[in-house]
Amino acid sequence: MTDEDRTAQTRYYIMTLARISGAAGAVFGIVLLARAVEWPDQAIGLALTLASLFEMAVVPRALAARWKSPPAQSSLEP
């Protein structure tokens, strides 16, 4: 396995870990929301759920855009 392959594999695992941590946070927020009796606890559960869903949507894409390799030079360009 080359260094580029190891780097790609590591980056894939990091993006997957970001998705899994977001899902775990969302589940924890839903549990807090469901078990909460008073409104401050419900607000914390809702905020945690929304933040986790946002993390699941944005962080992996941002990492992929940051790590995207530059486009190859085409022989058709002058």
Side-chain angles (χ1 to χ4, degrees):
M1 187 179 267
T2 65
D3 285 339
E4 290 178 0
D5 292 338
R6 284 191 195 100
T7 302
Q9 184 179 23
T10 303
R11 289 177 177 179
Y12 172 78
Y13 288 146
I14 290 171
M15 290 191 320
T16 302
L17 183 64
R19 288 184 186 109
I20 290 172
S21 67
V27 168
F28 182 64
I30 290 171
V31 169
L32 279 177
L33 189 59
R35 291 185 171 226
V37 177
E38 297 179 5
W39 73 268
D41 299 332
Q42 290 176 344
I44 291 171
L46 180 64
L48 183 60
T49 302
L50 293 176
S52 297
L53 291 174
F54 180 76
E55 176 195 350
M56 285 174 52
V58 173
V59 171
R61 289 184 182 167
L63 289 173
R66 181 178 180 173
W67 291 331
K68 186 177 181 180
S69 56
Q73 294 291 328
S74 175
S75 61
L76 298 175
E77 293 180 10

